[in-house]
Every structure is written in structure tokens, then in C-alpha cells.
Amino acid sequence: MKLLFLLAVVAIVYFWWKKNARAVVAVRPPMVKRPLDEAQRQLFARLQSALPSAMILAQPSIAQLVESDDASLAAAQLDFAVLGRDARPIGVAVLAPLDPRQETLLTDAGLRVARFKPGALPDDQQIRDAFGYL
């Protein structure tokens, strides 16, 4: 009998505490993260070195470079965009293969598409050749 009474008191206290306790949510503090992986960081440095007068945008969407009615294509993210001195897009540099429709959209808009392999990044002259820079 005493055990049953003790269990009833414990249950009442538990449910009262559960009802009145504030929900404690573990919130992690914001932390800076690296938006580019190692291969992207290396290619970014090479692009900057080879094209010092160009602007290099990291991880732009196709919509930032090309006007298109196809929202599914325009929302795709690229590795890098190369812009001329006048901030006009010249081309894109990618490490991963593009969807053929995305590549067609970019090339039809007049942009150059330069594909590079993470393990075999190009030298400065190869990058300049890929984007038509002297």
C-alpha cells in the first residue's frame, strides 16, 4: 500500500513538473563554416592568379548570370563565374559535370564553360585560354 501511494505521488509530481517545465531547447551558437571545399579553394586561387583583372564569383546561381524562363535550370548553383572588368559575365568554371541542359543554357547565352578536374587543376595559361584572356 505504501509503495502504491509513493508511486502515485511520484507520478503526480512528474506530470506536474512536465506540464510546468519550460521546454529547454539546445541552441548551438552560430559558427563560421567554409563555403568552399579544398578543390574549390585551390581553383579559386588559380582563377584569381590567372585572371587578376577579372572578378571571380564563388558559387553563383545560373540565374545570377543568365535570364531564363526555366526556373529549374536557373536555380542551379555553379562553382565559379568569371566576370570581366565591366562586371559582365564571361564564363563559368566548374569542377563537377553540368547537366547538359544547364550547359546548353549557358553556352546559348554566350558564356564559356570551362571544366576542370579537382586532381589536375590547370596552370595560369590554360585558364586564360579557357576564358579568352590574353
Side-chain angles (χ1 to χ4, degrees):
M1 189 70 158
K2 288 182 182 180
L3 182 61
L4 188 59
F5 177 74
L6 183 62
L7 286 174
V9 169
V10 169
I12 290 170
V13 170
Y14 173 77
F15 288 116
W16 176 84
W17 173 79
K18 191 76 168 166
K19 179 181 176 186
N20 294 318
R22 290 186 177 176
V24 177
V25 178
V27 177
R28 295 184 329 169
M31 297 177 64
V32 174
K33 68 178 200 171
R34 291 182 177 216
L36 303 178
D37 63 29
E38 184 59 31
Q40 289 172 323
R41 286 193 297 271
Q42 289 176 2
L43 180 56
F44 185 75
R46 298 250 177 119
L47 291 168
Q48 286 182 313
S49 171
L51 309 169
S53 63
M55 285 190 279
I56 312 299
L57 298 181
Q59 299 178 338
S61 67
I62 291 177
Q64 290 177 284
L65 307 173
V66 176
E67 289 185 31
S68 172
D69 293 334
D70 191 339
S72 66
L73 290 178
Q77 196 171 28
L78 304 164
D79 289 319
F80 301 100
V82 176
L83 286 71
R85 290 184 180 112
D86 60 354
R88 186 174 178 85
I90 295 169
V92 299
V94 294
L95 291 167
L98 285 176
D99 178 285
R101 296 179 316 134
Q102 294 169 345
E103 187 164 351
T104 300
L105 178 67
L106 292 166
T107 55
D108 286 353
L111 298 177
R112 295 173 185 243
V113 176
R115 281 176 228 76
F116 302 112
K117 294 181 182 174
L121 293 177
D123 61 25
D124 287 0
Q125 188 57 50
Q126 290 170 321
I127 291 173
R128 284 190 289 271
D129 290 346
F131 293 105
Y133 262 71
L134 301 175

